[in-house]
């Protein structure tokens, strides 16, 4: 019987070693993969959510709106109702959505690490909770500290 491990020696072990080494090169979710195939909602389900959001902005609006934001909204066509809620006509919301950029750039320290959000490209992030931090002095990932999270928030 042939020794099956000799033909594949080091493959799995090398991958495990790379994952656990703290290497900055290991990336389990490489940026910019093509997406768009996961569609948990039907088109009619998406439309129902959209229509409800438009209706809520028009009929309920926003309460306790900061003055600077309220002034910006009012200058575009929103209005204050009798309860001092800023309300948004459907046409205003649709105009703002149409004007919004379809792609935006998030620039990295290294320009090669900048990413363009939008289209079919998919990026993975922690939503602000940096579980691991790239230490700029060592070039290795390490567990984040409270000071790291504070500094990220300031950025």
């Amino acid at each position: 019987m042939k020794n099956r491990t000799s033909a594949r020696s080091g493959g799995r072990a090398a991958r495990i070693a790379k994952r656990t080494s703290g290497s900055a090169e290991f990336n389990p979710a490489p940026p910019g993969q093509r997406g768009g195939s996961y569609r948990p909602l039907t088109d009619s389900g998406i439309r129902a959510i959209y229509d409800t959001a438009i209706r809520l902005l028009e009929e309920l609006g926003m309460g306790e709106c900061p003055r600077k934001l309220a002034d910006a909204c009012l200058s575009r066509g929103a209005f204050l109702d009798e309860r001092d809620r800023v309300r948004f006509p459907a046409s205003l919301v649709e105009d703002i959505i149409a004007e919004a950029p379809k792609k935006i750039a998030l620039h990295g320290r290294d320009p090669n690490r900048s990413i363009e959000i939008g289209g079919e490209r998919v990026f993975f992030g922690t939503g602000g909770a940096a579980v691991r931090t790239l230490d700029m002095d060592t070039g290795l990932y390490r567990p984040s500290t409270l000071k790291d999270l504070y500094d990220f928030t300031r950025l």
Side-chain angles (χ1 to χ4, degrees):
M1 185 167 160
K2 273 188 165 179
N3 182 351
R4 295 181 64 159
T5 58
S6 63
R8 296 173 48 180
S9 98
R12 182 170 186 272
R15 287 189 305 275
I16 290 171
K18 188 175 182 181
R19 277 196 306 265
T20 59
S21 71
S23 168
E25 293 178 21
F26 175 69
N27 188 346
Q33 297 179 65
R34 295 283 172 218
S37 60
Y38 178 65
R39 297 184 49 93
L41 298 173
T42 63
D43 288 343
S44 63
I46 292 169
R47 187 68 201 193
I49 291 169
Y50 176 84
D51 289 343
T52 300
I54 294 291
R55 183 178 55 79
L56 289 172
L57 288 168
E58 191 167 38
E59 295 175 8
L60 184 61
M62 181 186 312
E64 300 180 24
C65 187
R67 176 57 36 207
K68 188 172 184 177
L69 177 59
D71 289 345
C73 295
L74 296 171
S75 73
R76 286 292 307 265
F79 62 94
L80 278 177
D81 68 11
E82 64 281 353
R83 296 173 295 158
D84 281 333
R85 296 183 70 83
V86 178
R87 291 180 34 196
F88 305 86
S91 59
L92 172 62
V93 176
E94 289 170 349
D95 288 347
I96 290 171
I97 291 170
E99 293 169 11
K102 304 305 178 236
K103 294 181 180 180
I104 61 167
L106 296 179
H107 299 285
R109 273 183 207 246
D110 173 352
N112 293 328
R113 297 285 205 177
S114 295
I115 60 176
E116 185 176 75
I117 305 294
E120 294 179 349
R121 299 188 70 192
V122 176
F123 298 89
F124 173 79
T126 62
V131 178
R132 293 177 53 83
T133 297
L134 176 61
D135 188 309
M136 299 307 291
D137 295 326
T138 66
L140 299 174
Y141 284 96
R142 60 171 170 71
S144 295
T145 65
L146 188 56
K147 183 177 183 317
D148 292 327
L149 298 177
Y150 171 75
D151 289 341
F152 297 154
T153 303
R154 291 186 314 133
L155 282 172

